[in-house]
Every structure is written in structure tokens, then in C-alpha cells.
Amino acid sequence: MGAHYYGADSEDGDHIDDPSEDALFMMISDLNESGNTFVVVQPDGDAPPWFASVTVRDDGGYEIVRRDNVRGEHDVTTETSVDDIARDLTIWMACRDFPERPTRQVTEL
């Protein structure tokens, strides 16, 4: 079993630990306008330092919110491509800080 750094939760109760790009794609694809309107990705804990959410828009497409309190980032965009959203969120999350994640060390040979 892999390390657990963050989770994705949808309004209808689906939860995935450390979701891959494909898992995010599936969760976002399952969104609809009646009962499953959003997905939130964030680290576990009482006061997560960052989160990302994807919400179905009434006029079509999706609203994406990315917020990182540590870095002072807050970005709201709209998008129609689920593939682009899943890829962009995966890249964005890879740059987030995770207190439990081991630091990478670079050594010279």
C-alpha cells in the first residue's frame, strides 16, 4: 500500500486516497448537476494548507479553484476539458508541500 498524502472526495461520497490523473478524470467525469456537483482534493487534517475543487457550472463546463495558504495562491478558472483539468490538477498537486512526505536528497557522485 502506498503512502497517503491527500484524498479526493466527491459530493456523492466517493473517496480516493492519493488519486492518480486517471482517478481524477473518472471522478470529474462522474460529476453532474443533480447530487454530485463537486470534487475536492486536499490533504487530510483539520486545517489543510491547500485544496483544489472542481465544480459543475450551470452554463456548462467546470469551475476549478486552487488555493494554497502557505504560498499565498488563490486561482479560479473555468474549463470544459476533463482531461485538461485532471492533468493540470495532477501537476499542481505534485508541487504542494506534504509534511509527511520524505524530502528528496541530491547527492553528487
Side-chain angles (χ1 to χ4, degrees):
M1 184 165 135
H4 174 72
Y5 300 118
Y6 56 91
D9 295 286
S10 64
E11 182 178 14
D12 70 356
D14 285 343
H15 174 84
I16 299 176
D17 289 333
D18 299 328
S20 65
E21 182 177 336
D22 289 340
L24 288 172
F25 179 90
M26 296 293 289
M27 289 184 87
I28 297 165
S29 294
D30 287 344
L31 295 179
N32 58 59
E33 294 178 3
S34 61
N36 192 31
T37 61
F38 65 85
V39 171
V40 176
V41 183
Q42 64 186 13
D44 285 338
D46 294 333
W50 60 264
F51 77 89
S53 66
V54 179
T55 306
V56 174
R57 292 174 44 97
D58 291 336
D59 59 352
Y62 304 89
E63 178 178 276
I64 303 93
V65 176
R66 296 177 188 95
R67 184 172 195 110
D68 187 327
N69 295 327
V70 174
R71 298 176 185 205
E73 296 176 6
H74 185 211
D75 183 45
V76 180
T77 59
T78 59
E79 178 63 65
T80 57
S81 169
V82 174
D83 189 45
D84 289 347
I85 296 168
R87 182 182 55 252
D88 291 347
L89 284 180
T90 302
I91 292 167
W92 186 81
M93 289 183 303
C95 297
R96 300 306 99 194
D97 295 324
F98 298 96
E100 300 84 23
R101 181 166 53 188
T103 57
R104 292 187 289 189
Q105 295 180 347
V106 177
T107 58
E108 292 186 36
L109 298 176

